[in-house]
Amino acid sequence: MKALVLEQVGTPDTLRISDLPLPQTDHGEVRVKVEACGLNPSDYQRAHYGMPDWEWPAVLGLDVVGIVDTVGAGVTNVSTGQRVAFHGNVSKRGGFAEYTVADSTVVAVVPASIDPISAAAIPSAGLTAYQAMIRRLHVSKDDTVLITGGAGGVGGFAVQLASIAGARVIATDSGRNAEHVRSLGADEFIDFQSEDIVSRVRELTGGRGVDAVLDTVGSESATANLGLLVHGGGIATTAGRPDISTVPPFSIGPSVHEIALGAAYSAGDDRSRADLAAMMSELLSLTEEGKLNPMVSSVVKLEEVPAALTAMADRKVRGKIVQSFL
């Protein structure tokens, strides 16, 4: 099969097209003929530092959509011929290839009305946002939510999910993305390049602060935004933990949530992995209902993936890029 391979750790421009043997299924696995694969920052990040248990040459690509062509022993939840979507295992060969293998418990069947490219834009970013907004922070219509990086994949899905839940959404990003972020459901927009986020949030909330925060920037940002929480509020982070010592003990009583989606494979159990499929099914249902925008900004061929990943690393991308075999 044709695949985009990484021979050794390096930058995205070192990826090249090569031929690899067809992967074979073990017990509980399915083989998928890949139709589309979403690109994510974790792709160029993992290319840079590698994984200790990778099979070389490595194949990146976590967000896979395709047709099941082989089912291993013990698989009962899906059948050959079904279109499925899943968030893959970072330690295994991924979806920038004509075929890949997945644990059957993580796959979700894609509704016929959703095209493969749209579905492939969802898994990593959508699942991360869903876990943060719905599973951890329990965002509801009475909440005010702060989301950093609202034009990115995780931030963009989080803005939509919080808006669907009926919350008041305050989102940050660069000013050039204001209209786009508002179109996703943000009620208020803060340009982090020209405005102080903390003081602006205080102004927008009449000094009250927010009920929930999703921070996608880093530890320093998360620590600053931790101080914006009201009593009993919660913060979810994807890029670094906040310094909880900045909050006096037994004061606002915040809950802190670290989102580590891929650890469902490395640190989780069967229940954790099955939950990836459950959350994915919910996101696909919202998409089918027209409530969730997959935010596909561009579609690339397999040989164009290295340049697209480089653009992502340079922060030149808004929304989601999807590689397609269609």
Side-chain angles (χ1 to χ4, degrees), residues 14-98:
T14 64
L15 296 167
R16 65 177 183 84
I17 303 292
S18 182
D19 287 321
L20 292 178
L22 278 175
Q24 303 302 310
T25 57
D26 286 330
H27 187 278
E29 293 182 334
V30 296
R31 188 172 69 193
V32 175
K33 180 175 173 57
V34 180
E35 295 179 302
C37 185
L39 280 64
N40 291 284
S42 64
D43 291 316
Y44 65 76
Q45 291 164 357
R46 286 182 297 125
H48 179 70
Y49 58 75
M51 300 291 289
D53 46 2
W54 265 354
E55 177 183 4
W56 294 95
V59 178
L60 304 172
L62 292 174
D63 292 357
V64 179
V65 172
I67 304 298
V68 175
D69 87 319
T70 303
V71 297
V75 174
T76 59
N77 61 314
V78 289
S79 305
T80 57
Q82 288 187 300
R83 174 172 289 127
V84 296
F86 62 91
H87 170 72
N89 187 339
V90 297
S91 297
K92 305 294 185 180
R93 284 179 170 169
F96 294 146
E98 292 180 306

